[in-house]
Structures are given as structure tokens and as C-alpha cells.
Amino acid sequence: MEVMRHASTFLRPPPLPQAADGPAPSYALVVLNQRLPRFAPDLWSHAKLRIFADGGANRVYDGMPKFFPEQDPLEVRRRYKPDGIRGDLDSIRPEVKEFYSNLGVKVEDVSYDQDTTDLHKCIDFICGFTPEVDKSNLCILVAGALGGRFDHEAGNLNVLYKFSNIQIVLLSDDCLIQLLPKTHCHEIHIQSSAEGPHCGLIPVGAPSVSTTTTGLQWDLTDAGMSFGGLMSTSNMVREERITVRSDSDLLWTISIKKKA
């Protein structure tokens, strides 16, 4: 079975040494309508494409100048200009929409599609964007994906399953979540200065009959996991290289460390 490698190098400013052999990921950034994580400028600097999902534009407009209190807020807002804004446009404030429109940013109303979330719409856009994003090694970072209404969080998790062939990482100040599809074995290279030690593997889509891991404090060996049964929550990373093999898609989550 083919190995899929994961490394959270995006949590630190570039350039960073690669945690595994192979080309560096081609990052895209989606900003949703929740508080920006404290490492948002680092995410931005890694990304080749940046999209705001509706009210995510408000979050960047209001929040990004707070990371640079010594700088002119207007200049900061101009510097952190997205490649596009998409969504139902029921949350973006009029003055924010006008600001980015005046900078030449395309603001796209896709409210005609009520069967998909704003995150889904943004990922559709990224997948159709060429040639700036290398889709063969694409990793989509989603800021503000966690927190707030639970139905929104559940919708964001659902997007991971809808686009299981793409590496998508949901991020908050406290943790990240990504899907480990059953079609691959997985190597997770831990950035110990930025993440851990608490972690978990959760069988949200379907029960797992057999999951095996290495590198965790409490490893699994051909273990079954399901809601109402065993789940590997409140686990801890023991090594800097974690391996996971499962007959079911699993959600991987790990805590993100606070800066000293």
C-alpha cells in the first residue's frame, strides 16, 4: 500500500527543513469566519494561493493588523490581500467587501448553491485554479475551521471526507485535524517544537475493524475502534515519526503548542 506522508511544517515560518524526502507541499490557505489562529501570518507566508470564505474576510481585515501593532493597519490589510473571496456573502461586511474589491480582488457570490458549505466552495475554486497550485502535492490549510457552532464544525469535517484525495488540514489555536484515508498507510512526522504531545485517532466515517500504529504512547495493534467502543483519544506522541494503518478512514488530531 502506498505511503502518504504528513508534516506540520506550516506551523513555523519558512524556510524550514523538510521532515521527509520528496518535494515540499504546495500550500493553499482558506480563511473561515472564526478567530484567526496566532500563527496565521506563518500560514499565509507558506501559501501560494489564499482564499477568504465570506466572513473570513472580516477576520483578516480586523485581525491581521493586531499581529503587527507597530505597523499602519491599512498597509497591513493591503499586504494581506487574498486571491479571491467566495461564499454566500451573507457575513462579509459592506465596508470590507468594498475595501478588497477596490484592491482588485474578485468577490464571488455563489449563494445559488445551497447544497455545499463555503469551505466546499473554496476548495472547488482551489482545485480549478491553475497553474499556480501544484495539485499533485497540494495541501490546503483551513484557518478558523474549529470553534463556534458545532454544525459548522461538522460541515468542515464532512469536507475532509468529500475531498479525501486531497490533504486538507483544519486548524485552530489549539489543535489541527486531518483525514487519514484508508487507501494509504500514513507516516506523520511530528514537529515537536510546535505540536503535541496530545493526539487522537477517531473513526468518524465508519467503525475500524483493524487499526495499527507505531510511535504513540498507547499504540494500537489490529485494534477495532468505533463510537460506543474503543477510541484512541487522549493519546500522546512518543516518537517523532508516527505510522498509522487502518481499514477505515480516520481523523488524526494533535494539539498545537503555545509559544513561550
Side-chain angles (χ1 to χ4, degrees):
M1 188 179 291
E2 187 178 354
V3 174
M4 182 180 292
R5 294 179 173 85
H6 313 266
S8 303
T9 52
F10 48 80
L11 291 174
R12 289 291 181 260
L16 288 171
Q18 290 301 299
D21 294 335
S26 181
Y27 289 114
L29 174 64
V30 177
V31 181
L32 301 184
N33 191 14
Q34 287 294 331
R35 183 168 60 92
L36 293 178
R38 61 191 181 281
F39 43 83
D42 293 335
L43 301 179
W44 189 282
S45 64
H46 282 281
K48 296 180 180 179
L49 181 66
R50 299 101 173 183
I51 305 297
F52 298 165
D54 198 357
N58 301 337
R59 299 291 179 164
V60 175
Y61 182 91
D62 295 337
M64 202 61 88
K66 296 178 182 178
F67 294 112
F68 307 96
E70 74 286 356
Q71 299 180 25
D72 180 359
L74 183 59
E75 290 305 314
V76 173
R77 291 176 179 129
R78 287 172 176 163
R79 187 164 73 245
Y80 287 94
K81 178 183 78 168
D83 296 288
I85 299 173
R86 299 193 100 216
D88 293 347
L89 304 188
D90 56 354
S91 299
I92 186 172
R93 302 197 306 269
E95 72 273 17
V96 175
K97 179 181 178 182
E98 181 181 11
F99 175 81
Y100 288 116
S101 294
N102 289 340
L103 293 179
V105 176
K106 183 178 180 180
V107 181
E108 189 174 0
D109 183 351
V110 284
S111 58
Y112 57 84
D113 177 6
Q114 289 298 305
D115 292 331
T116 62
T117 65
D118 284 345
L119 175 57
H120 188 136
K121 294 177 176 72
C122 288
I123 292 177
D124 273 338
F125 176 84
I126 292 169
C127 291
F129 200 90
T130 57
E132 284 78 359
V133 176
D134 177 10
K135 296 177 189 61
S136 66
N137 202 31
L138 175 63
C139 181
I140 300 176
L141 309 175
V142 185
L146 307 170
R149 282 170 44 187
F150 178 71
D151 60 328
H152 285 168
E153 290 184 319
N156 294 336
L157 294 176
N158 189 46
V159 166
L160 299 183
Y161 287 83
K162 284 180 176 288
F163 294 92
S164 61
N165 60 323
I166 301 174
Q167 290 197 43
I168 303 173
V169 184
L170 307 182
L171 291 147
S172 74
D173 248 351
D174 301 305
C175 71
L176 65 81
I177 300 175
Q178 63 187 117
L179 184 69
L180 305 183
K182 64 183 179 182
T183 53
H184 292 72
C185 294
H186 298 272
E187 286 186 6
I188 305 169
H189 296 265
I190 303 300
Q191 310 298 300
S192 57
S193 64
E195 61 182 340
H198 300 96
C199 64
L201 287 165
I202 306 171
V204 170
S208 167
V209 174
S210 176
T211 297
T212 298
T213 68
T214 66
L216 299 178
Q217 185 68 43
W218 295 281
D219 273 322
L220 304 171
T221 303
D222 293 325
M225 293 195 297
S226 65
F227 276 82
L230 172 70
M231 286 199 296
S232 183
T233 58
S234 298
N235 211 326
M236 300 181 74
V237 295
R238 179 172 48 84
E239 300 176 7
E240 293 195 349
R241 177 179 173 272
I242 308 300
T243 67
V244 180
R245 176 179 54 80
S246 181
D247 64 342
S248 177
D249 298 336
L250 299 176
L251 291 178
W252 163 258
T253 182
I254 188 168
S255 59
I256 296 175
K257 292 180 177 177
K258 304 291 186 183
K259 287 185 178 180

